């Protein structure tokens, strides 16, 4: 992991070769070498298009290194960084890893405890079958054995203080301490051995934590009692009873170990529930697929053997095996488990299918397009896992407090001992000892450390089941504070499936020639508008010709030379024709009319002469109007940002009730538009689905990608809406609000618990009410405080979105 305090270097070694351009590892943009946003990290130099991408990389370099970016210097790294591996379904031969839920930077290749907080590590790889939890099994076994011994020990010890009640025969009272020693020792040394190991490690590594306090408290109690039993003569008369024995605290030491073990068992069981959301997702995938061979034969094959291009049959009631497209048949598919949309979606030839969704009553043939880790389900599991392991900014507060908490508590315990020893009633040293131990035990900061990560883990899983994928905890925290939502038009507000509606020829040209030339140019483009024109040409039986010298001019259009006709052609917007000094002529009026109806217009020029125009309509999503209304009612300012013409953009905006429109914006200008809004003090979320949206998504405080859009948009965004439905933004805000409220409840409980518990354990109530807190009660309170925090976090699973 990179140092969080690391800042970009302001100068690089002139001796190192520097390439003229590089790829931003976060958003995928091409960046010039003279950018002011760069970072030297582990022997590599990375360039970034914006401060937002730089910050995202610094927050988690492992996620971005080696995926798309390359070092600008072209030099080999001095050493290889270990990538951050998401929790994914286990694969044969995959190396298992364990990590700490509170400190995800800790990764080990075997079970154990965290060197920072001492908590038990848990597997990074979440599998469909939960499998045995060795830590839980071990703690449970120690708990049952310890409890079986501790209960009679406590009864025996307490009976010694009850007048007229004696379990030992007359004259054998001197054996009482030895009996307690025999009973307590296996509980302390075997049942509590894990706590001593973790406590010693915390002192050795100087990472003081809850186990430091437990080990000191239990260890001091047992060692003190052992010396009092074996060598009572070492103690002054103030420590001795009438029979000459010294008071011991075996029952307190054993009870503390048993109660802490109980808390650990309850905590481990509760922590295991945070992985249920991922197991639910993994359980959606079918185990086999029905493969159709070239000869028409069919056979069931394991899902792992399905390859891209395979033809599969999905029978009624079966799960769709992988992502792909329908090639034959009609049916309705229940996609609710992936998108949160309760109504089954009608499917016919050419429609997309999502793996793990459930087919209705019809039979479908499909072509596999995404398999294995490329399926939407696998990508969802990956994003949820990454989010669960990330850290929310609010956790920094808890980390700072925990960093000084344990030394302060040890100091308070020492002060408690001194004050009681000199100012307390007789036997003052006994009171001093008991109260100091109670302070050490009750002040364990485990609840404080668990407050944030448990809520984040549960919220990430909850979001996934509602079709909202958070990439990291920061997005969960920030989303509720967003006050401005910038939305791209095509593919975000609109369906992203435009259709050719109009072909208008200029004087001296025919409509068939205009469409033929336009479709020919679009053969080399991947833009949705290109697909609409090609589909329209095919529908009208217009054939295309080959094109030489194809070139795409960002934000303007495309150019090329038509082979057969030998003509230079250009197809694009007003800016493209203006660059070539081509007059729009009478078609300008027609273009404005079509734009006023919400259509996108592209002009065709042949040999620098206007030949005609084509109009394409992209229907508005059925849910966009409802989503915009709900988001506005939730207090968000809505801004439409599009590269389309102002007339077209305003026509769409009027239908949706959007008053703030930024139109005719080039891709790099989208980034600047977001920066401008941020400069006004706004907290901006950007929603988009295209490659050209990636820089703006990375720059915004919260980038929101449509799951139906480009992969690079999803990689640049902090939130992905699986369905591509803007109503998911409202779900994300509600979940963000509920999660932050839950975290604050946890932190408040943890802070207040320690603020009240420590003084009470120190004996502050004794002068007024004669109340002292037994170390056993302190241990019970400490254990159940952690369990309460986890139980409160699990309530997020029931939040209504």
């Amino acid at each position: 992991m990179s140092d969080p305090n690391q800042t970009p270097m302001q100068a690089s070694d002139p001796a190192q070769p520097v390439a003229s351009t590089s790829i931003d590892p976060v958003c995928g943009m091409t960046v010039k070498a003279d950018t002011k946003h760069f970072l030297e990290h582990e022997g590599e130099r990375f360039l970034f298009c914006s401060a937002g991408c730089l910050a995202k990389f610094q927050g988690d370099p492992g996620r971005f290194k080696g995926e798309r970016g390359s070092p600008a210097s072209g030099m080999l790294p001095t050493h290889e960084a270990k990538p951050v591996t998401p929790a994914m379904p286990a694969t044969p031969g995959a190396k298992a890893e364990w990590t700490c839920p509170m400190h995800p930077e800790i990764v080990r290749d075997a079970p154990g405890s965290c060197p920072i907080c001492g908590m038990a590590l848990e597997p990074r790889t979440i599998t469909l079958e939960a499998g045995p939890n060795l830590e839980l099994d071990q703690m449970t076994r120690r708990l049952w054995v310890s409890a079986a011994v501790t209960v009679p020990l406590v009864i025996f010890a307490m009976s010694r203080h009850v007048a007229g009640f004696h379990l030992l025969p007359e004259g054998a009272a001197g054996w009482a301490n030895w009996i307690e020693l025999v009973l307590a020792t296996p509980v302390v040394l075997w049942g509590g051995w894990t706590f001593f190991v973790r406590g010693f490690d915390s002192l050795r590594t100087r990472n003081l934590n809850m186990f430091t306090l437990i080990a000191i408290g239990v260890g001091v109690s047992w060692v003190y009692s052992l010396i009092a039993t074996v060598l009572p003569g070492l103690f002054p008369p103030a420590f001795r009873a009438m029979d000459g024995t010294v008071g011991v605290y075996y029952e307190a030491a054993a009870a503390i170990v048993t109660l802490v073990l109980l808390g650990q068992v309850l905590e481990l069981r509760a922590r295991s529930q945070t992985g249920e959301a991922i197991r639910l997702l993994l359980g959606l995938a079918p185990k086999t697929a029905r493969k159709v061979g070239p000869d028409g034969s069919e056979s069931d094959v394991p899902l792992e053997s399905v390859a891209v291009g395979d033809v599969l049959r999905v029978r009624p009631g079966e799960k769709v095996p992988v992502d792909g497209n329908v090639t034959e048949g009609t049916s309705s598919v229940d996609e609710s488990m992936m998108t949160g949309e309760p109504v089954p979606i009608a499917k016919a030839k050419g429609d997309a299918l999502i793996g793990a969704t459930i087919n209705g009553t019809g039979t479908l043939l499909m072509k596999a397009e995404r398999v294995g880790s490329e399926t939407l389900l696998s990508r969802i599991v990956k994003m949820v896992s990454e989010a669960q392991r990330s850290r929310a900014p609010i956790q920094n507060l808890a980390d700072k407090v925990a960093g000084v908490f344990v030394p302060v508590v040890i100091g308070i315990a020492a002060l408690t001992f001194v004050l009681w020893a000199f100012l307390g009633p007789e036997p003052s040293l006994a009171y001093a000892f008991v109260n100091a131990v109670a302070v050490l035990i009750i002040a364990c900061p485990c609840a404080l450390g668990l407050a944030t990560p448990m809520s984040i883990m549960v919220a990430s899983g909850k979001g996934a089941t509602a079709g909202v994928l958070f990439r990291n905890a920061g997005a969960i925290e920030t989303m509720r504070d967003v006050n401005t939502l910038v939305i791209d038009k095509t593919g975000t507000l609109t369906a992203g499936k435009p259709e050719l509606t109009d072909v208008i020829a200029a004087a001296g040209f025919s409509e068939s020639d205009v469409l033929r030339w336009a479709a020919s140019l679009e053969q080399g483009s991947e833009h949705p508008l290109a697909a609409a024109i090609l589909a329209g040409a095919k529908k009208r039986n217009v054939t295309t010709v080959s094109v030489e010298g194809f070139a795409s001019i960002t934000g303007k259009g495309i150019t090329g030379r038509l082979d057969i006709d030998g003509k230079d052609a250009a197809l694009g917007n007003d800016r493209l024709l203006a660059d070539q000094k081509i007059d729009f002529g009478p078609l300008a009026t027609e273009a404005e009319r079509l734009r006023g109806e919400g259509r996108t217009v592209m002009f065709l020029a042949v040999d620098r002469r206007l030949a005609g125009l084509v109009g394409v309509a992209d229907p508005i999503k059925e849910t966009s109007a409802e989503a915009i209304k709900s988001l506005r009612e939730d207090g968000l300012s809505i801004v439409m940002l599009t590269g389309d013409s102002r007339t077209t953009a305003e026509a769409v905006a009027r239908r949706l009730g959007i008053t703030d429109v930024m139109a005719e914006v080039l891709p790099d200008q989208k980034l600047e538009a977001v920066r401008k809004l941020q400069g006004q003090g706004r907290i901006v979320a950007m929603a988009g689905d295209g490659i050209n949206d990636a820089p703006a998504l990375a720059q915004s405080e919260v980038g929101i990608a449509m799951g139906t859009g480009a992969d690079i948009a999803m990689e640049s965004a902090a939130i992905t809406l699986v369905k591509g439905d803007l109503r998911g933004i409202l779900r994300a805000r509600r979940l963000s609000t509920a999660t932050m409220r839950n975290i604050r409840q946890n932190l408040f409980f943890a802070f207040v618990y320690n603020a009240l518990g420590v003084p009470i354990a120190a004996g502050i109530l004794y002068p007024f009410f004669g109340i002292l807190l037994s170390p056993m009660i302190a241990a019970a309170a400490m254990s159940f405080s952690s369990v309460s925090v986890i139980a409160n976090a699990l309530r997020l699973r029931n939040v209504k979105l």
Side-chain angles (χ1 to χ4, degrees):
M1 296 291 291
S2 64
D3 183 351
N5 298 317
Q6 187 177 11
T7 55
M9 297 179 62
Q10 299 304 310
S12 59
D13 185 353
Q16 293 183 358
V18 178
S20 59
T21 61
S22 183
I23 301 297
D24 186 324
V26 176
C27 69
M29 280 193 69
T30 299
V31 186
K32 292 183 179 179
D34 60 358
T35 178
K36 62 181 180 180
H37 306 293
F38 60 90
L39 176 70
E40 298 284 350
H41 175 74
E42 296 186 344
E44 299 182 28
R45 190 170 192 263
F46 295 89
L47 307 184
F48 304 91
C49 69
S50 65
C53 284
L54 172 59
K56 283 182 170 62
F57 183 89
Q58 283 183 299
D60 190 357
R63 180 160 65 87
F64 300 108
K65 279 194 65 176
E67 291 186 2
R68 287 181 312 275
S70 58
S73 65
M75 299 182 67
L76 292 174
T78 56
H79 64 280
E80 184 179 356
K82 186 174 183 178
V84 175
T85 306
M88 292 289 291
T91 55
K95 183 180 179 182
E97 294 181 328
W98 281 259
T99 186
C100 173
M102 286 171 52
H103 301 90
E105 67 272 22
I106 301 300
V107 179
R108 298 288 184 268
D109 56 6
S113 58
C114 175
I116 298 177
C117 67
M119 289 182 65
L121 302 181
E122 54 189 35
R124 296 183 74 178
T125 302
I126 297 179
T127 57
L128 180 58
E129 300 297 332
N133 186 327
L134 299 179
E135 180 75 12
L136 177 58
D137 292 344
Q138 181 194 73
M139 287 292 183
T140 302
R141 184 167 57 253
R142 292 177 186 268
L143 170 63
W144 284 114
V145 174
S146 297
V149 178
T150 300
V151 170
L153 170 60
V154 172
I155 294 174
F156 178 80
M158 293 297 101
S159 71
R160 299 172 63 187
H161 304 289
V162 178
F165 185 79
H166 302 285
L167 293 177
L168 292 178
E170 190 74 23
W175 288 95
N177 286 0
W178 289 96
I179 292 173
E180 290 188 29
L181 169 62
V182 171
L183 291 173
T185 298
V187 176
V188 172
L189 297 186
W190 179 76
W193 181 251
T194 301
F195 307 146
F196 287 116
V197 171
R198 295 177 182 178
F200 176 77
D201 287 342
S202 71
L203 294 172
R204 179 176 55 82
T205 62
R206 298 181 182 179
N207 289 307
L208 304 184
N209 53 52
M210 64 171 286
F211 295 102
T212 313
L213 302 181
I214 294 172
I216 292 175
V218 174
V220 168
S221 298
W222 185 80
V223 171
Y224 168 90
S225 300
L226 176 65
I227 297 173
T229 302
V230 178
L231 300 170
L234 295 178
F235 291 83
F239 277 75
R240 298 178 189 173
M242 295 290 294
D243 58 3
T245 61
V246 178
V248 293
Y249 300 96
Y250 289 121
E251 82 283 1
I256 289 170
V257 168
T258 302
L259 290 169
V260 173
L261 283 170
L262 175 61
Q264 289 287 292
V265 168
L266 294 175
E267 178 187 314
L268 288 167
R269 286 181 179 175
R271 277 165 55 185
S272 66
Q273 296 181 39
T274 59
E276 289 302 313
I278 292 181
R279 291 193 182 94
L280 177 63
L281 292 171
L282 293 174
L284 296 175
K287 303 296 186 295
T288 61
R290 187 77 173 175
K291 184 176 179 180
V292 180
D295 58 353
S297 61
E298 299 184 10
S299 60
D300 291 327
V301 299
L303 192 65
E304 295 78 12
S305 67
V306 176
V308 174
D310 285 350
V311 177
L312 309 173
R313 182 179 295 279
V314 187
R315 291 168 291 192
E318 288 185 336
K319 292 182 177 180
V320 177
V322 296
D323 297 356
N325 294 307
V326 178
T327 59
E328 185 180 317
T330 59
S331 185
S332 58
V333 177
D334 180 2
E335 299 181 344
S336 59
M337 68 287 293
M338 300 292 286
T339 66
E341 180 61 49
V343 180
I345 309 299
K347 299 292 183 179
K349 184 177 181 179
D351 289 335
L353 293 173
I354 303 175
T357 54
I358 301 174
N359 185 26
T361 57
T363 297
L364 299 173
L365 284 181
M366 65 172 293
K367 182 179 180 181
E369 299 290 345
R370 292 177 183 266
V371 301
S373 62
E374 297 300 315
T375 64
L376 180 60
L377 176 62
S378 295
R379 293 159 73 192
I380 289 175
V381 170
K382 175 183 176 182
M383 293 184 71
V384 173
S385 301
E386 288 177 346
Q388 289 188 340
R389 301 299 180 203
S390 61
R391 294 163 62 86
I394 194 174
Q395 191 171 340
N396 294 333
L397 172 63
D399 290 344
K400 290 178 181 178
V401 173
V404 299
F405 190 77
V406 174
V408 169
V409 168
I410 294 175
I412 293 175
L415 179 62
T416 299
F417 183 88
V418 171
L419 292 176
W420 274 95
F422 286 98
L423 303 178
E426 292 299 331
S428 59
L429 289 178
Y431 278 123
F433 177 79
V434 170
N435 291 326
V437 170
V439 169
L440 290 172
I441 298 302
I442 201 169
C444 292
C446 188
L448 188 63
L450 287 171
T452 298
M454 290 298 107
S455 297
I456 293 298
M457 292 177 76
V458 177
S460 300
K462 175 67 177 180
T465 60
V468 179
L469 306 181
F470 291 95
R471 180 171 291 282
N472 52 53
I476 299 178
E477 179 174 340
T478 306
M479 188 61 202
R480 73 185 186 99
D481 298 322
V482 168
N483 54 34
T484 302
L485 177 63
V486 177
I487 308 179
D488 176 52
K489 179 179 73 70
T490 304
T492 306
L493 289 169
T494 63
K497 297 180 180 179
E499 297 179 353
L500 179 67
T501 56
D502 302 271
V503 179
I504 301 176
F509 296 90
S510 67
E511 289 185 4
S512 61
D513 282 341
V514 170
L515 182 55
R516 177 163 62 94
W517 292 332
S520 299
L521 286 172
E522 293 288 19
Q523 290 178 108
S525 175
E526 297 181 355
H527 196 281
L529 297 181
I533 293 174
L534 287 167
K538 184 177 180 180
K539 185 176 181 180
R540 302 184 191 193
N541 297 318
V542 173
T543 58
T544 59
V545 299
S546 57
V547 175
E548 289 183 348
F550 174 86
S552 176
I553 305 173
T554 304
K556 297 180 181 180
I558 54 180
T559 61
R561 183 172 181 81
L562 303 169
D563 270 1
I564 297 178
D565 302 277
K567 300 178 182 295
D568 291 320
L571 179 69
N573 55 26
D574 304 35
R575 291 190 292 268
L576 181 64
L577 266 66
D579 288 348
Q580 298 191 6
K581 297 182 172 54
I582 299 173
D583 184 18
F584 297 98
L587 292 186
T589 304
E590 286 295 317
E592 201 64 18
R593 177 183 65 80
L594 294 175
R595 289 168 177 159
E597 296 173 0
R599 298 173 189 174
T600 299
V601 174
M602 288 169 285
F603 292 98
L604 175 70
V606 177
D607 287 340
R608 294 189 173 275
R609 179 183 169 195
L610 184 65
L613 61 80
V614 291
V616 175
D618 187 6
I620 296 174
K621 291 179 181 177
E622 295 180 358
T623 58
S624 291
E626 176 189 345
I628 294 299
K629 179 182 177 183
S630 299
L631 290 167
R632 187 180 291 109
E633 291 174 351
D634 202 49
L636 286 177
S637 297
I638 310 296
V639 179
M640 179 196 288
L641 188 64
T642 179
D644 214 336
S645 71
R646 176 159 295 278
T647 304
T648 301
E650 289 180 345
V652 173
R654 281 194 301 271
R655 295 175 60 184
L656 295 174
I658 299 175
T659 56
D660 196 347
V661 179
M662 297 183 183
E664 301 176 358
V665 179
L666 296 174
D668 57 335
Q669 293 174 332
K670 288 187 177 184
L671 177 65
E672 293 302 321
V674 171
R675 285 177 177 167
K676 181 178 179 181
L677 291 170
Q678 291 172 328
Q680 298 170 4
R682 302 199 199 187
I683 301 175
V684 180
M686 165 74 185
D689 76 325
I691 295 174
N692 60 340
D693 297 320
L697 290 172
Q699 173 64 32
S700 62
E701 277 81 2
V702 181
I704 304 172
M706 302 295 108
T708 52
D711 289 349
I712 192 173
M714 294 177 64
E715 289 295 327
S716 302
I719 298 175
T720 296
L721 306 181
V722 177
K723 179 73 174 177
D725 183 349
L726 288 175
R727 291 178 298 183
I729 298 177
L730 199 59
R731 297 190 192 108
R733 279 177 66 83
R734 288 171 180 166
L735 183 56
S736 172
T737 300
T739 303
M740 295 311 300
R741 181 170 59 245
N742 190 272
I743 289 175
R744 284 188 167 84
Q745 290 169 351
N746 287 344
L747 289 173
F748 175 80
F749 178 81
F751 278 123
V752 170
Y753 163 81
N754 283 291
L756 296 177
V758 171
I760 293 174
I764 195 172
L765 298 180
Y766 185 80
F768 307 101
F769 306 103
I771 296 175
L772 287 177
L773 190 66
S774 164
M776 290 186 287
I777 302 300
M782 181 276 296
S783 296
F784 284 103
S785 68
S786 300
V787 176
S788 299
V789 164
I790 297 175
N792 187 50
L794 291 174
R795 291 193 308 112
L796 285 171
R797 296 185 299 180
N798 302 319
V799 171
K800 303 294 183 183
L801 301 180

